[in-house]
Amino acid sequence: MGQYLSGTLELLGYDFVQTALIAAAVLGLVAGVLGPLIVTRNMAFSVHGTSELAFTGGAAALLAGFNIGYGSLVGAIAAAVVLGLLTRKTSEHDSVIGAVLSFGLGLGVLLLSFYGGNSTNKFGLLIGQIVGVDSTSLVLLTSSAIAVLVVLAVIYRPLLFASVDGEVAAARGVPIRLLSPVFAVLVGVVTALGVQTVGSLLVLSLMITPAAAACRVTASPLLATVLSVVFAEVAVLGGIVLSLEPGKPVSAFVTALSFLIYLVCRAVGAVRQRRIGSRRPSAVAVA
Amino acid sequence: MTSKTVLAAPARRREAALRLRSARLSYGERVLWDGLDLDIRPGEFLAVLGPNGSGKTSLMRVLLGQQQLSSGSAEVVGHPAGKANHRIGYIPQQRALDSQLVLRGRDLVGLGLDGHRWGLGLRGRAERRRRVDRVLAEVGATEYADQPVGLLSGGEQQRLRVAQALVGDPELLLCDEPLLSLDLANQRVVSELIDARRRSAGTAVLFVTHEINPVLPLVDRVLYLVDGRFQIGSPDEVMTSENLTRLYRTPVDVLRVRGQIVVVGAQNSAHHLPEGS
């Protein structure tokens, strides 16, 4: 235990570890802020699909010798636009994502097979390589995150209205058809950022799990957002710190932490629902 | 109609809250209505009746700017339909909200006040809270305003819907079958809340319904739509055997039983059937 602590503390002193933590904190913030809206809009599978296509873009960039970050950003935004264009009818949503993401994943695997370089880079696209984040990537990450938060701040109220109460929002003049693709692009950007850190396969653990946990314990959209950010930060920062000394993949710790938070919140949520139910027996019987 | 204090909205110009001129809506060969002229005065309660597929919902969509007229014009609060939706309060059909929805009653109402505005709305939060609290009290929903909306009963959710529509002090209330699937007690509560507001604040009400009886005492005029034909007038003028026989082109009897109106013989009569679309 003492050795674990001293080893961890020593590693925390390294520049690359500190860069990784800053990158993770930025990612946790944006993922946490977007999460409750993603959960409310039932977009978990869409995030998964987008992350596969961020992987495809990253693989293409790796092969072409560009920064993987730009590649995955382009891939994810392209995916968001494609999914947004193809899914006019909600009933089609899941099948379209399934069709597009499997093709994208296959293409990414093919691209990687042509890549003769360092195999760590290949693996990193899938399970993350946050400890490999350099200062260029950090600048891209931070500026993308700021852009996402600014856009979100502008559209937040109409987007929330459209997400929780679409019919009335449309009646009040909220441009629902415009907001969906804009939000999809925001999700695409953050997904691409996540692909670089926890990897495309585990991006859900930062964008969905903390928000899903938060949504179990509160019905206030504001509090859910705050909790979602806190949970995402705990998972991603805690996961990185815990992974340092053992030298095992970051993503294993991040996903484990976020899943643990999720389980605790489900338990708390069950108690909370029963408490509300016992105060309001008639209401719950109808609901 | 209700003992609750209803606070007056700002004084309004006495122009028509809604104005349709020679309005025609058709899908290909099929004409839903044509030559429809309609003004609704501030404070007037107009019920829109008719069987399924007669264009009641389409009329609502036209007034919200979600559907273009085939010809004619539609003005709402002095603007072309769709240009001033923030001055309209909209009450949808009661349908159960997701029990897991991350939204409290007061959030639902608050979105009715400023959910259409860009930005975070950090300024004016105290004023926002005051207005939301006031309207919650007005509809008697204060007690459960902080509960998740998905865990509330249908009647409670629909009171919040009324609050959501009223909180922005609308000049026109568009109600799309707001009483559907509510029990009688809640039907009365919801319709009386709507009635109280139009009397105190001069809000015009367009109330789409398949069942006139719950709102019969409140209705000033009826717009009855059947297969491209329509008639506008007071309930006593419109709801007669002769008129409905003409509109339906089949023998229809309108009976008055204990202050209620019973329509017998109308094909596809929506008076006893829930609206399908």
Side-chain angles (χ1 to χ4, degrees), chain B residues 146-186:
Chain B
D146 292 307
Q147 304 288 351
V149 282
L151 296 180
L152 300 176
S153 72
E156 289 168 333
Q157 288 182 1
Q158 208 61 353
R159 282 190 197 216
L160 290 168
R161 288 292 188 192
V162 174
Q164 182 189 37
L166 296 184
V167 69
D169 282 335
E171 286 151 76
L172 174 66
L173 267 183
L174 296 180
C175 311
D176 189 4
E177 303 260 9
L179 306 182
L180 207 65
S181 77
L182 294 185
D183 59 31
L184 283 174
N186 276 306

Side-chain angles (χ1 to χ4, degrees), chain A residues 44-244:
Chain A
F45 191 46
S46 176
V47 170
H48 186 63
T50 309
S51 73
E52 305 293 8
L53 289 136
F55 158 77
T56 309
L62 189 63
L63 186 63
F66 296 120
N67 183 313
I68 294 175
Y70 290 111
S72 50
L73 204 52
V74 170
I77 293 173
V81 170
V82 167
L83 293 181
L85 289 179
L86 287 180
T87 54
R88 285 283 156 78
K89 286 185 292 179
T90 355
S91 56
E92 245 189 5
H93 201 247
D94 279 5
S95 50
V96 168
I97 296 168
V100 174
L101 88 81
S102 56
F103 171 71
L105 194 53
L107 188 64
V109 169
L110 179 68
L111 291 171
L112 277 190
S113 75
F114 289 121
Y115 178 69
N118 184 349
S119 68
T120 321
N121 285 347
K122 293 189 196 177
F123 205 43
L125 273 177
L126 285 171
I127 62 160
Q129 49 177 8
I130 189 154
V131 185
V133 171
D134 56 25
S135 56
T136 318
S137 304
L138 189 60
V139 169
L140 174 67
L141 178 78
T142 310
S143 47
S144 307
I146 290 171
V148 166
L149 291 177
V150 167
V151 173
L152 188 67
V154 172
I155 66 170
Y156 182 77
R157 275 186 295 178
L159 182 64
L160 178 68
F161 201 0
S163 306
V164 297
D165 196 11
E167 188 187 352
V168 177
R172 291 280 288 170
V174 172
I176 287 184
R177 293 217 180 103
L178 177 75
L179 289 173
S180 290
V182 170
F183 186 63
V185 169
L186 294 187
V187 169
V189 171
V190 179
T191 306
L193 305 179
V195 165
Q196 297 175 63
T197 50
V198 287
S200 62
L201 295 182
L202 303 169
V203 108
L204 293 169
S205 73
L206 274 193
M207 295 196 55
I208 309 297
T209 318
C215 292
R216 300 300 299 199
V217 294
T218 178
S220 157
L222 178 65
L223 186 58
T225 305
V226 171
L227 285 177
S228 167
V229 169
V230 170
F231 295 161
E233 295 289 0
V234 168
V236 73
L237 296 177
I240 290 171
V241 171
L242 290 177
S243 75
L244 289 175

Side-chain angles (χ1 to χ4, degrees), chain B residues 14 18-19 52 62 88 98 119 178 201:
Chain B
R14 306 301 291 177
L18 183 161
R19 173 169 290 156
N52 294 340
V62 164
I88 299 175
D98 183 354

Side-chain angles (χ1 to χ4, degrees), chain B residues 59-243:
Chain B
L59 175 63
M60 192 71 92
R61 290 176 52 78
V62 164
L63 296 175
L64 290 170
Q66 295 169 350
Q67 168 83 51
Q68 292 298 311
L69 284 173
S70 308
S71 65
S73 67
E75 271 188 18
V76 173
V77 296
H79 297 267
K83 299 292 181 205
N85 285 29
H86 61 281
R87 288 161 69 183
I88 299 175
Y90 176 72
I91 305 178
Q93 289 178 22
Q94 195 274 320
R95 44 179 94 76
L97 293 159
D98 183 354
S99 66
Q100 299 298 325
L101 192 63
V102 181
L103 200 71
R104 298 163 302 172
R106 65 169 58 256
D107 302 314
L108 185 83
V109 174
L111 285 171
L113 180 62
D114 62 7
H116 61 287
R117 291 181 188 278
W118 304 107
L120 290 168
L122 296 178
R123 276 174 297 168
R125 282 173 65 90
E127 166 69 9
R128 180 181 198 267
R129 189 178 170 89
R130 203 176 57 76
R131 289 182 72 170
V132 169
D133 282 342
R134 191 177 70 186
V135 75
L136 283 168
E138 191 176 320
V139 303
T142 305
E143 182 204 344
Y144 46 84
D146 292 307
Q147 304 288 351
V149 282
L151 296 180
L152 300 176
S153 72
E156 289 168 333
Q157 288 182 1
Q158 208 61 353
R159 282 190 197 216
L160 290 168
R161 288 292 188 192
V162 174
Q164 182 189 37
L166 296 184
V167 69
D169 282 335
E171 286 151 76
L172 174 66
L173 267 183
L174 296 180
C175 311
D176 189 4
E177 303 260 9
L179 306 182
L180 207 65
S181 77
L182 294 185
D183 59 31
L184 283 174
N186 276 306
Q187 285 186 357
R188 188 172 310 122
V189 167
V190 168
S191 45
E192 284 179 359
L193 286 169
I194 294 169
D195 187 54
R197 170 59 73 114
R198 63 121 179 182
R199 286 180 193 284
S200 69
T203 309
V205 179
L206 183 141
F207 196 101
V208 170
T209 182
H210 67 276
E211 171 62 90
I212 192 175
N213 287 316
V215 290
L216 189 58
L218 319 178
V219 171
D220 296 317
R221 281 194 298 162
V222 169
L223 165 62
Y224 207 120
L225 299 165
V226 185
D227 285 343
R229 297 173 292 280
F230 61 86
Q231 190 174 359
I232 303 171
S234 71
D236 286 341
E237 286 164 11
V238 176
M239 303 299 283
T240 64
S241 302
E242 190 191 355
N243 270 324

